[in-house]
Amino acid sequence: MRVALFLTCVNDALYPDTGRAVVTLLERLGVDVDFPTGQTCCGQPQYNTGYRRETEPLVHRMAKVFAGYDYVVTPSGSCAAMVRDNYPRIGAKARAEGRGTALGKAADALVPRVVELTEFLVDVLEVTDVGAYFPHTVTYHPSCHGLRMLGLGDRPVRLLRAVRGLTLIELPGAEECCGFGGTFSVKNPAVSTAMGTDKVRNAASTGAEVLCGADNSCLMHLGGLLHRQDQPLRPLHIAEILAATEQDATATEPTETVIPA
Amino acid sequence: MSRTFLGMPPFPEAAAVSTQNAQLRANLTHATHTIRDKRARAVTELDDWAQLRQAGQEIKDHTLRHLDHYLLQAEKAVTAAGGTVHWAADAAEANRIVADLVRATGESEVVKVKSMATQEIGLNEALAAEGITAYETDLAELIVQLGDDLPSHILVPAIHRNRSEIRDIFRDAMGRWGRPAPDGLTDSPAELAEAARLHLREKFLRAKVAVSGANFIVAETGTLVVLESEGNGRMCLTLPETLISVVGIEKLVPSWRDLEVFLQLLPRSSTAERMNPYTTLWTGTTAGDGPSNFHLVLLDNGRTDTLADEVGRQALRCIRCSACLNVCPVYERAGGHAYGSPYPGPIGAILTPQLRGLQSEVDASLPYASSLCGACYEVCPVAIDIPEVLVQLRERVADQAPGHRLERAAMKSAGWLLDHPAAYSAALRTASRARGLLPRRLPLPGPAKAWSDSRDLPTLPEHPFRDWWNSRPNGEDGPKHDDGKTGKDSAAR
């Protein structure tokens, strides 16, 4: 099985710990994971802001970079949904506009192989207990695209429940959007902030130490609010929890200790 | 569309003000959460909801595809049943037709059934300019009218008001429009309803002319259908001598069999009821029963243009249930007025700019008034993929609106960088090196300021992930990359 990590540009640039956690986790589970460095961005920010034509080179790039892999695993439900839901649309539009079928074929070849991390663990590797240890209280925010476009269901929660030492506390209003929404957070900052503020208030009300999510973009937005408000709640990507083991638990700061660099 | 909303600021500005209104936020959160939970329960009662939803979508799509045929069929049936059909290309034409019809009766007052189409065309204001007073009889529309306010929700136009605000409006304004509110009126729902009942009863008994919309028109018999909860609509539809119905051309269903699907989809989606309390159906005129004069004004007002758009036309499936408003996190915070249109919320964000065009700042801002969370699509009883239409409309805005030139330039340069991984890697490295220089709040205008007014920016890591990967023994130069599929620039085209 040839597996590539599609890390996403946000994680590559801002959250390398998440990338290291995915690699550590998958290697621990016996997966030989590759990171093709020709990868950059799936084009979601451009596409969702109305710049479809500008995303086309990135669709080509994604298809070419990830050709030949059985699975393309990504720790972002949002970016996986971009490929699975929108790449076929971009290909079909290009065809309808009389610009050939190459883009559509490239998209079609990539789409079925792109899987979100928790889907890969539960559906492909068929594991829910990944051998993790994380002695903290955690509440989980299911991001919209993972929840509604990919239909991740309870996969992330099943994985978290199997983590030794972890206490999972239900997040009130979990299924509501956090207000990130890519460029929405910049174009409509007032509403975005109001949505995020309600989300972090709900998260803080659980008394959990960690706000876990499967999309660092949402966590960046929520983390920015938490940091501004001096809240003790720590945002953390699910991969970093699933990669954590007893050896990592000797120190107190989860993000620093999950993956020794 | 309605002149009453003219002069509204674009959505981000209007929403920046309304999100600060704590009372509005509290009213909306309470109301939308209550109704969304009830809707969810009402829908799970039906095992075949998914099939009903699909049937609703297919019937609407079929009708829209053959709209010319069904419109002519409906016109023929209405005419045969003693009604008169008028065709209105736009709001001005529809308003003129209605005003002329009212004037021909010699009356200067009409009672109104709650109607989105007449809100859309600004009929009340147009009639007022002709010296005709239109009295809203739906309780929520009455509250809006008495309060000299604008509706903010499709189903519950006064959703932004709470009981004590309504009590104040009744006490202060009812006397100016007719029977005053009883002395010592409290904010108990029963007292408020009784005050409205007494006030409206006078209007119903006096009115010679009524104006309505319709939820559906059954093409095969020319039958109009109104669903409502209060019975006020039925009073208007049965008591006056003349009934004028203004209905969008997309409201057709081919047959009574098709209607059955929507009589299940609409009440559960909108009021979370198994069946709405009042369903009134009328076909032309019947001697000795109901209005003796019936006029149907079929309204285009941008619908034909909307129909021409392959993606956007699905907005015309909308049955105005407002389930999308009640689950929308953006609507919940911003309130309905921020959308600058009688159609607020997710459906408004796709319907309004299609009906009105994208020329104004307000209309160009609406496709961006969504985080694309998808909750609206999930609950839509006719499966309108609202996020898909929003993105498509954003493309049109980005192509047309001059304000998007800078953004396009930024997207283009980002696109170049993202298509050149070597340059991209170098940029990531440069950014990481400069990490100590970047504050978590930025004073300069632009996206980073919009972000960091309320949120701290994330700290940049010491190294991007790819540098760590390349530093591993089996990283970039390791054996895995010998097949040429990976590596720095292997994907350059």
Side-chain angles (χ1 to χ4, degrees), chain B residues 356-433:
Chain B
R356 294 201 297 214
L358 290 158
Q359 289 75 27
S360 78
E361 254 195 290
V362 176
D363 294 325
S365 74
L366 289 176
Y368 293 96
S370 165
S371 63
L372 304 180
C373 83
C376 48
Y377 178 33
E378 199 172 54
V379 298
C380 177
V382 285
I384 301 170
D385 191 339
I386 294 176
E388 183 192 17
V389 181
L390 286 168
V391 170
Q392 152 108 351
L393 286 170
R394 289 176 186 188
E395 200 180 323
R396 276 165 55 187
V397 174
D399 281 344
Q400 292 171 15
H404 287 254
R405 258 188 231 122
L406 264 178
E407 187 177 89
R408 181 176 291 280
M411 289 289 179
K412 269 203 169 17
S413 51
W416 182 89
L417 193 66
L418 293 170
D419 205 21
H420 292 79
Y424 174 68
S425 300
L428 291 188
R429 233 164 267 140
T430 309
S432 285
R433 259 185 234 120

Side-chain angles (χ1 to χ4, degrees), chain A residues 158-179:
Chain A
R158 279 159 64 197
L159 289 160
L160 289 173
R161 285 215 184 97
V163 173
R164 277 173 304 120
L166 187 149
T167 308
L168 189 65
I169 310 176
E170 201 181 326
L171 175 66
E175 297 193 351
E176 281 180 46
C177 179
C178 70

Side-chain angles (χ1 to χ4, degrees), chain A residues 22-46:
Chain A
V22 177
V23 173
T24 305
L25 172 64
L26 293 181
E27 287 182 346
R28 192 170 79 213
L29 295 170
V31 177
D32 190 13
V33 59
D34 197 4
F35 177 80
T37 48
Q39 66 178 281
T40 56
C41 169
C42 65
Q44 180 169 202
Q46 294 87 339

Side-chain angles (χ1 to χ4, degrees), chain B residues 137-376:
Chain B
T137 65
D138 172 83
L139 178 57
E141 291 287 0
L142 175 72
I143 294 164
V144 168
Q145 187 172 45
L146 294 176
D148 198 19
D149 196 359
L150 293 170
S152 72
H153 189 280
I154 290 174
L155 184 77
V156 198
I159 195 169
H160 55 289
R161 299 291 199 183
N162 62 25
R163 283 193 277 142
S164 66
E165 290 174 302
I166 294 165
R167 190 260 328 269
D168 294 346
I169 290 168
F170 279 10
R171 198 183 48 202
D172 298 343
M174 263 184 175
R176 288 204 299 276
W177 287 80
R179 181 180 173 129
D183 289 338
L185 181 68
T186 75
D187 66 358
S188 90
E191 279 193 38
L192 294 174
E194 184 60 15
R197 187 196 308 274
L198 294 170
H199 179 84
L200 289 171
R201 183 64 47 124
E202 282 189 358
K203 307 275 186 258
F204 292 135
L205 295 175
R206 200 170 63 208
K208 299 277 188 288
V209 183
V211 174
S212 85
N215 295 98
F216 305 98
I217 300 176
V218 183
E220 63 180 356
T221 53
T223 303
L224 278 76
V225 186
V226 159
L227 278 65
E228 45 138 1
S229 299
E230 298 167 359
N232 297 348
R234 180 166 291 176
M235 299 287 273
C236 297
L237 295 164
T238 50
L239 283 177
E241 291 162 11
T242 299
L243 173 60
I244 304 164
S245 301
V246 181
V247 187
I249 53 173
E250 84 283 17
K251 293 279 177 181
L252 287 169
V253 295
S255 69
W256 282 69
R257 235 187 111 157
D258 301 316
L259 182 65
E260 171 254 350
V261 171
F262 296 103
L263 292 184
Q264 296 182 73
L265 286 173
L266 181 52
R268 285 179 199 262
S269 300
S270 57
T271 49
E273 290 167 308
R274 291 167 181 156
M275 189 66 202
N276 52 294
Y278 294 87
T279 303
T280 308
L281 304 99
W282 68 102
T283 309
T285 55
T286 306
D289 183 15
S292 47
N293 300 304
F294 170 59
H295 296 273
L296 170 61
V297 182
L298 286 166
L299 177 71
D300 187 319
N301 204 32
R303 285 159 175 77
T304 306
D305 291 341
T306 305
L307 202 52
D309 187 300
E310 279 179 34
V311 175
R313 67 171 62 137
Q314 58 186 305
L316 295 180
R317 280 188 220 138
C318 177
I319 54 174
R320 314 281 190 261
C321 72
S322 72
C324 62
L325 276 65
N326 299 327
V327 296
C328 178
V330 174
Y331 174 86
E332 184 187 332
R333 272 81 186 183
H337 292 156
Y339 293 80
S341 152
Y343 301 112
I347 187 65
I350 62 168
L351 195 57
T352 306
Q354 293 199 91
L355 295 181
R356 294 201 297 214
L358 290 158
Q359 289 75 27
S360 78
E361 254 195 290
V362 176
D363 294 325
S365 74
L366 289 176
Y368 293 96
S370 165
S371 63
L372 304 180
C373 83
C376 48

